[in-house]
Amino acid sequence: MNRYSEIIATLALTLIIATLPGCAKTLPSQSEFVLGTICTVNLYDQGSPEVYHQIFDRLREIENRMSANLEDSELDQINRMAGIRPVVVHPDLIDVIQRALYFAEKADGAFDPTVGPLVKLWSIGSDDERLPGEDEIAAALSLINWRDIVVDREQGTVFLERPLMRLDLGAIAKGYAADEAGRIIRAAGIKRALIDLGGNILALGEKKGGAPWRVGIQNPLDNRGAYFGIAEVRDKTLVTSGIYERFFEYDGKRYHHILSTQDGYPVDNGLLSITVISGNSIDADALSTSLFVLGYEQGKILAESLDDTEAIFVFTDMSVHCTSGALEYFTLTDTTFSLIQD
Ligand code: FAD
Ligand code: MG
């Protein structure tokens, strides 16, 4: 999907949230293009322009530190020093890398923050996107191994052990950013807010009157903002990974941006999207990608093993499968999909 349609899709998703009943608010929402996507924040009650400023400043700070695309971000410095020397970085970045390592281990490498050479090779979502050759894919795969990241918390350094290794935090850093936005909002004494960082949604508090927020979950077959189901949540995050977010088509085949660390190609396991519902957005972001790469059977086992974690799996055959507690929040509303309870 090109940049323009992605922005339209993101705005449409924001619209879903804003237009579901009961979302009356006192201050207009604010949207900015940051973290490679449209980020929208809705503050309710005591929201103020200053808090919006603080939030977007923090999102830009996170982008400047953690972007794999910005020359001279701290992440870029780690990548350029791969195989050469450790780089001193801000504790924020150490926290995110350590959380990424935690999920790399949990997902047995299906999720891997050293996926950078493969992401760069495919460049899906950029002007350079292309179908790479087998030899290029093999070369990129040989550089991927989360065990070759050395984090020294005391020295505040990160080191990639082999030259040409490359970190990419695209699957986790938006979740961290959503948690940070939530922290700023709570510190300002604001009890109710909705944050949408390009599909990473954080719903703080509840609706006025005590009802839960109703969040539409994007129909993965429709990028015009249609939703196939609704989650009713309080103080939860919903993070979706899907094949509709960033892709290109070549010779009638779709190549999307969630990449297999086994074969180097976009994951092709019958899944269209996964939504994770959880209390914390960094984990939900890492998990939405991890579960997608692991696939339904292994992904469900991983999700069920974690506290406060539910997942909704949507397949190309229009079936929807969930973890055992997901139906506490989720209702299917589009009957072209069928909910399978197994
Ligand atoms: P998710 O499923 O959460 O993540 C998919 C992304 O994770 C892929 O795009 C890839 O980057 C990575 N990934 C793929 N396979 C794996 C795997 N097996 N294990 C681990 N990670 C994997 N986009 C731009 O176009 N331009 C920018 O300048 C830009 N800057 C960004 C800066 C930051 C700090 C962040 C967090 C994102 C930025 N992005 C930018 C967007 C980024 O490139 C990803 O496309 C985006 O984060 C994908 O998020 P998602 O929620 O759609 O999908
Ligand atoms: Mg993710």
Side-chain angles (χ1 to χ4, degrees):
M1 182 160 45
N2 66 30
R3 188 45 13 130
Y4 179 72
S5 22
E6 186 179 359
I7 290 169
I8 297 293
T10 308
L11 284 173
L13 184 66
T14 304
L15 202 65
I16 296 174
I17 302 171
T19 53
L20 290 173
C23 295
K25 59 188 167 54
T26 49
L27 201 67
S29 65
Q30 193 162 319
S31 295
E32 287 189 26
F33 192 83
V34 54
L35 301 166
T37 190
I38 298 274
C39 296
T40 299
V41 180
N42 290 267
L43 299 177
Y44 298 87
D45 302 334
Q46 315 90 319
S48 68
E50 292 71 45
V51 180
Y52 278 125
H53 268 292
Q54 277 180 43
I55 294 167
F56 284 101
D57 280 354
R58 181 70 174 126
L59 298 186
R60 276 187 289 273
E61 181 176 59
I62 290 168
E63 173 169 6
N64 289 336
R65 210 161 264 159
M66 304 189 189
S67 173
N69 306 314
L70 287 179
E71 217 170 284
D72 255 1
S73 68
E74 290 186 8
L75 193 83
D76 184 63
Q77 290 171 36
I78 297 170
N79 289 341
R80 281 190 288 115
M81 289 300 127
I84 301 173
R85 64 167 172 80
V87 175
V88 177
V89 294
H90 193 277
D92 285 353
L93 187 48
I94 302 235
D95 286 347
V96 175
I97 291 170
Q98 285 196 317
R99 206 60 189 156
L101 288 170
Y102 172 82
F103 283 103
E105 186 167 14
K106 285 262 173 221
D108 200 16
F111 172 93
D112 193 324
T114 65
V115 73
L118 204 54
V119 173
K120 197 166 167 46
L121 182 62
W122 285 89
S123 287
I124 293 174
S126 84
D127 293 341
D128 302 324
E129 60 192 11
R130 70 184 175 94
L131 180 59
E134 295 283 345
D135 50 341
E136 292 175 295
I137 289 177
L141 280 175
S142 73
L143 294 167
I144 299 174
N145 191 345
W146 58 274
R147 289 188 172 84
D148 295 339
I149 305 175
V150 182
V151 177
D152 185 333
R153 199 168 247 291
E154 251 170 49
Q155 300 294 320
T157 59
V158 179
F159 177 49
L160 303 178
E161 285 190 323
R162 291 180 289 137
L164 302 178
M165 283 183 72
R166 203 178 146 85
L167 289 175
D168 182 300
L169 300 175
I172 186 169
K174 273 196 295 177
Y176 176 75
D179 287 335
E180 283 298 288
R183 187 184 56 73
I184 290 167
I185 292 167
R186 287 192 188 95
I190 299 166
K191 303 260 181 308
R192 305 187 305 122
L194 288 170
I195 300 161
D196 178 0
L197 309 184
N200 272 58
I201 290 163
L202 184 62
L204 290 183
E206 56 193 12
K207 284 199 297 200
K208 209 169 193 163
W213 295 112
R214 287 160 57 77
V215 180
I217 302 181
Q218 173 73 42
N219 177 341
L221 295 174
D222 190 340
N223 64 19
R224 286 170 296 142
Y227 55 94
F228 74 98
I230 287 174
E232 294 195 301
V233 293
R234 292 182 179 86
D235 281 317
K236 293 279 178 218
T237 186
L238 285 93
V239 179
T240 300
S241 285
I243 67 164
Y244 60 92
E245 284 162 353
R246 278 172 189 239
F247 64 84
F248 68 91
E249 276 168 2
Y250 180 77
D251 255 357
K253 191 168 161 45
R254 176 178 290 199
Y255 297 92
H256 64 83
H257 70 144
I258 303 170
L259 301 168
S260 162
T261 48
Q262 290 289 311
D263 67 18
Y265 283 85
V267 172
D268 184 8
N269 57 10
L271 278 165
L272 286 173
S273 75
I274 289 194
T275 298
V276 173
I277 304 175
S278 144
N280 131 356
S281 206
I282 187 170
D283 290 1
D285 194 4
L287 272 170
S288 68
T289 315
S290 304
L291 303 187
F292 199 104
V293 184
L294 285 171
Y296 179 57
E297 261 130 51
Q298 280 178 276
K300 189 173 177 188
I301 293 170
L302 174 55
E304 299 277 14
S305 75
L306 300 168
D307 286 342
D308 190 16
T309 304
E310 302 298 341
I312 300 154
F313 300 76
V314 186
F315 289 84
T316 46
D317 67 1
M318 312 295 280
S319 63
V320 178
H321 298 246
C322 296
T323 50
S324 51
L327 295 180
E328 193 184 315
Y329 309 106
F330 174 71
T331 309
L332 185 74
T333 52
D334 182 338
T335 52
T336 54
F337 291 86
S338 40
L339 185 63
I340 312 290
Q341 300 197 43
D342 39 23

